[in-house]
Amino acid sequence: MIGENFTLITGASMGIGRAFAMASAARGFNLILVALPDGQLAEVQTEILSKWKVKVLTFTVDLTQEDAVKALFDFCIEKQLSIDGLINNAGIGTGGRFENISLEKQLQIIDLNNKVLIRMCHYFLPLLKLEEKAYILNMSSMEANLPLPYKAVYTGSKNFVFAFSLALREELKSGPVTVSVVCPGPVVTNAEGLQRMKAHGSRAKLVVLMPDEVAEIGLKGLLKGKTIIIPGKINWVLVKLSRLFPTTTKMRLLERLFRVYSTH
Ligand SMILES: NC(=O)c1ccc[n+]([C@@H]2O[C@H](COP(=O)([O-])OP(=O)(O)OC[C@H]3O[C@@H](n4cnc5c(N)ncnc54)[C@H](OP(=O)(O)O)[C@@H]3O)[C@@H](O)[C@H]2O)c1
């Protein structure tokens, strides 16, 4: 991931994606950063260029638009970029009772978290396969293993990312591309996240991480070729422990813990 090769990061204008961009630049990786138009992507680019000697290209687009991923791919081909890292980070979510969240919002979550991620892998895999060694990091969530009531569609979308990544990894194991999936617990990336953490009180602080911690652990895991990356020791233990509980007990407990989301 050094030299004239590029790492492509979606959702890089803020939060965890921005942290991945910073952590990658600090390692000397050239970057292609993607986010929505009118966001803070240019500021991220300027900050990186002021700190590290790497190349940073930006591409702003609503990735959920039908031709957006193709347009991004064409941009990379036109510029003859070699890509050996793909970090599929862009994602959205929402909390509340399933029946109270508009169908439009629910489908937007699937569009970005799942459909865009599939398109990204499908378009960019042939480019990644041209490299001696290349990496895909897909952004799932701890919730892929702990299905959360009142975040049903988001949880489902991250479960899809989790399973898809494991399956794709096996399909690609004899080639140069390694697929890893990262499953963070709660990460404070914005005011809403802070509010959510406060709603859960002190127990939330045990599992909450900052974006730069997630990015650092995520990148290290990716470069080591780890299959599943769960940032944070307590989060890792919680996921492992959760597998020992009978599903019904686990789901009842989760419903009680996350009832706070039901009125969001
Ligand atoms: N935060 C958490 O607690 C947490 C926990 C586990 C997993 N995750 C996952 O980690 C990822 C990043 O989360 P985050 O909290 O860092 O998110 P965030 O702060 O809301 O940032 C989202 C990023 O995605 C971009 N984006 C959103 N919609 C887009 C679209 N339609 N087309 C192109 N770019 C789009 C945003 O661009 P603009 O800035 O230009 O809008 C922004 O750069 C997501 O997949 C999320 O599900 C988050």
Side-chain angles (χ1 to χ4, degrees):
M1 288 163 100
I2 300 228
E4 278 309 286
N5 285 343
F6 283 76
T7 297
L8 171 50
I9 306 175
T10 64
S13 63
M14 55 186 194
I16 301 171
R18 178 184 178 279
F20 267 115
M22 298 290 165
S24 303
R27 285 171 166 79
F29 302 166
N30 298 314
L31 300 170
I32 308 158
L33 306 180
V34 184
L36 286 167
D38 305 323
Q40 293 159 28
L41 203 59
E43 284 88 333
V44 174
Q45 180 187 35
T46 307
E47 187 177 341
I48 291 175
L49 291 174
S50 72
K51 288 184 177 162
W52 297 285
K53 281 198 168 116
V54 293
K55 292 183 180 168
V56 185
L57 303 176
T58 59
F59 191 88
T60 59
V61 72
D62 178 349
L63 283 166
T64 60
Q65 297 298 304
E66 193 65 30
D67 291 332
V69 174
K70 183 179 182 312
L72 171 62
F73 177 75
D74 290 345
F75 168 83
C76 296
I77 294 292
E78 224 169 84
K79 295 212 171 307
Q80 300 187 331
L81 303 175
S82 302
I83 298 174
D84 62 355
L86 170 60
I87 301 182
N88 284 313
N89 163 76
I92 48 170
T94 194
R97 297 186 83 89
F98 172 71
E99 67 219 78
N100 293 342
I101 301 169
S102 75
L103 186 58
E104 193 192 355
K105 180 70 196 172
Q106 313 269 25
L107 295 177
Q108 274 171 7
I109 295 173
I110 300 295
D111 278 346
L112 185 62
N113 297 7
N114 298 152
K115 283 190 181 178
V116 166
L117 187 131
I118 296 170
R119 284 200 187 103
M120 290 294 295
C121 289
H122 206 269
Y123 269 99
F124 285 96
L125 194 51
L127 281 191
L128 293 163
K129 282 177 109 173
L130 297 175
E131 303 304 317
E132 211 170 291
K133 189 99 201 75
Y135 303 87
I136 296 176
L137 181 64
N138 288 332
M139 178 57 75
S140 178
S141 162
M142 223 169 116
E143 293 163 29
N145 292 280
L146 294 161
L148 291 195
Y150 312 116
K151 287 181 86 180
V153 170
Y154 177 77
T155 279
S157 77
K158 292 302 181 183
N159 200 292
F160 171 88
V161 173
F162 186 78
F164 168 72
S165 305
L166 297 190
L168 184 64
R169 178 184 172 97
E170 283 310 298
E171 282 187 31
L172 299 175
K173 73 178 171 200
S174 59
V177 184
T178 305
V179 182
S180 301
V181 60
V182 57
C183 304
V187 185
V188 178
T189 54
N190 51 38
E192 200 194 326
L194 196 62
Q195 202 188 342
R196 256 185 289 143
M197 189 182 78
K198 281 183 182 158
H200 281 287
S202 54
R203 70 172 178 250
K205 292 198 185 92
L206 292 172
V207 291
V208 167
L209 293 178
M210 297 313 284
D212 53 340
E213 296 175 289
V214 172
E216 203 46 48
I217 296 166
L219 263 189
K220 272 190 194 141
L222 170 73
L223 296 171
K224 277 189 193 153
K226 279 184 80 169
T227 311
I228 301 167
I229 304 160
I230 302 170
K233 284 198 179 71
I234 293 181
N235 295 346
W236 188 89
V237 170
L238 281 176
V239 169
K240 298 286 164 194
L241 275 180
S242 74
R243 292 186 186 145
L244 306 176
F245 278 81
T247 304
T248 321
T249 315
K250 179 170 76 180
M251 291 314 300
R252 281 201 191 128
L253 193 64
L254 286 170
E255 193 279 325
R256 225 169 285 161
L257 282 173
F258 288 88
R259 203 170 287 167
V260 66
Y261 286 138
S262 67
T263 53
H264 273 211

